[in-house]
Amino acid sequence: MINRAAANDGLAENGPAYAAGLVGQAFRFTWAMTRLTLDTLGQLVTGRLSPKTLSGPIGIARASAQAAHDGPFEFFRLLAFISLQVGLLNVVLPLVPFDGGHLALLVLESAMRRDLSERARNWVMNAPRSRARPPWPCGTRSRPRSSASGGRP
């Protein structure tokens, strides 16, 4: 946690040395949270940590409400932590819509020592979207209603 008193060290709170102390603490805090996030991800992958310990949207909303109740500093610290986690997962996870997916695609092309064909690249880039859709048609009709049958298809 960023400690204003430790950063001050008797200096004026608006001086450059004070600001540098806060920036240094912010970097150390961000690095500690980055390590915590990556360690947690490693424990999830290896099975040492249950996915049930993670919070979903409701848990995040509860934590946000508690942080807001604790004050603006805690609330913005929680927002920064969530933002850091999303950014790390965006880079680390090899899902194509995320940056990590683009990096994985570049590694694959480097290993193959050639670029993927345009067709293959389009398939890989669009595959996650096709998996997100249900396998049945939603809200579509195969034929228009007939007025002669009383409005039934």
Side-chain angles (χ1 to χ4, degrees):
M1 181 167 187
I2 297 175
N3 184 350
R4 291 179 56 116
N8 193 356
D9 289 333
L11 302 172
E13 284 197 22
N14 57 359
Y18 177 74
L22 289 178
V23 169
Q25 284 188 10
F27 276 115
R28 286 189 294 279
F29 180 75
T30 301
W31 177 245
M33 292 299 102
T34 300
R35 285 185 28 217
L36 176 66
T37 301
L38 294 175
D39 288 346
T40 302
L41 186 60
Q43 290 177 8
L44 285 168
V45 169
T46 59
R48 291 183 290 156
L49 184 65
S50 171
K52 293 179 181 181
T53 62
L54 300 178
S55 293
I58 294 173
I60 293 171
R62 286 181 182 147
S64 299
Q66 180 62 46
H69 182 267
D70 292 343
F73 181 79
E74 292 300 319
F75 180 71
F76 286 114
R77 189 170 72 123
L78 178 66
L79 289 179
F81 183 64
I82 292 171
S83 179
L84 176 68
Q85 289 181 351
V86 169
L88 286 172
L89 294 177
N90 190 12
V91 172
V92 171
L93 290 179
L95 301 173
V96 177
F98 300 139
D99 292 336
H102 292 285
L103 294 174
L105 202 55
L106 290 172
V107 168
L108 174 67
E109 289 177 340
S110 294
M112 293 173 35
R113 297 185 187 256
R114 65 179 177 86
D115 290 343
L116 289 175
S117 70
E118 189 68 27
R119 183 176 179 208
R121 181 178 284 278
N122 286 337
W123 183 85
V124 168
M125 297 298 267
N126 293 319
R129 282 188 226 136
S130 65
R131 280 186 235 127
R133 287 188 221 135
W136 60 87
C138 294
T140 60
R141 299 186 63 79
S142 58
R143 56 189 167 141
R145 293 182 181 205
S146 167
S147 61
S149 64
R152 295 187 197 145

